[in-house]
Amino acid sequence: MKKFDIRNIKLKTISIDQLDDRMLLINLYATQAITLVIGFIWLLFQHRNPFFLFSEASHLDYLYWGVGLAAAVIVVDLLVARFVPEEANDDGGVNERIFGNRPVWHIAVISLAVAICEETLFRGAVQYHIGPYWTSIIFATIHVRYLRHWIPTGLVFAISYALGWIYIKTGTLWAPITAHFLIDLIMGLVIRFRRA
């Protein structure tokens, strides 16, 4: 029997074009599952019940905040796409690969999964601990595909800060989840049908 040696493990960097569709989806859903698990563990270390974050909101104001923020972000994003050169707004083709050929229902599922998982970790757990500013820096940093260009990095930071702000304003995680879901869904549909 061959002995396992951790020093023999080699990591290899690959581009998005080297992933087939199945592996891309496995990576997407696996990272979101890891994000959710980390969020739940962090909440437990804060002595908070993760499921209370998802309790029903006492009022529907969160919908106005979520939809309003999503609308503002989409308008800004479309203006940036129109007036900023494409190479300054490049994410390495990741969003095109994720959303470009998906059916509408799958774009909605991806958008919902990402919104719930990321908002649980970043707004629910991290922001509670370090506040919206530092949370937004971390959020922008993990969206590594944008870090090569300052415009998308700045947009991701600003969106994250706005998500944190509406969470504080409404007191419910459903506001940033709604906004995040709508932003990803509508931009995914724009990518999908722009190709068509």
Side-chain angles (χ1 to χ4, degrees), residues 40-103:
F40 270 51
I41 291 170
W42 197 320
L43 286 161
L44 291 173
F45 275 115
Q46 293 172 342
H47 305 289
R48 297 167 61 215
N49 185 336
F51 297 105
F52 285 161
L53 287 177
F54 301 102
S55 60
E56 189 176 335
S58 59
H59 50 78
L60 293 180
D61 286 356
Y62 78 90
L63 278 176
Y64 304 125
W65 287 98
V67 172
L69 176 59
V73 167
I74 289 160
V75 167
V76 169
D77 206 339
L78 292 174
L79 287 172
V80 167
R82 179 165 175 80
F83 295 109
V84 173
E86 196 170 319
E87 59 273 3
N89 210 15
D90 180 32
D91 73 339
V94 175
N95 287 340
E96 183 73 29
R97 283 288 310 276
I98 291 173
F99 297 116
N101 293 316
R102 300 267 170 255

Side-chain angles (χ1 to χ4, degrees), residues 22-36 102 105-114 117:
R22 181 176 171 273
M23 190 53 68
L24 178 69
L25 287 177
I26 289 170
N27 276 293
L28 173 71
Y29 286 119
T31 56
Q32 293 310 307
I34 291 167
T35 300
L36 187 65
R102 300 267 170 255
W105 70 266
H106 200 177
I107 292 172
V109 168
I110 290 170
S111 300
L112 185 62
V114 169
C117 296

Side-chain angles (χ1 to χ4, degrees), residues 127-170:
Q127 181 171 309
Y128 179 84
H129 191 68
I130 62 175
Y133 178 78
W134 291 106
T135 299
S136 298
I137 288 176
I138 295 169
F139 189 80
T141 304
I142 67 138
H143 286 78
V144 68
R145 65 186 184 265
Y146 297 117
L147 292 178
R148 290 178 286 152
H149 305 289
W150 69 270
I151 292 174
T153 301
L155 284 173
V156 170
F157 173 85
I159 292 166
S160 176
Y161 195 85
L163 290 167
W165 186 76
I166 66 170
Y167 177 45
I168 292 168
K169 197 80 174 153
T170 62

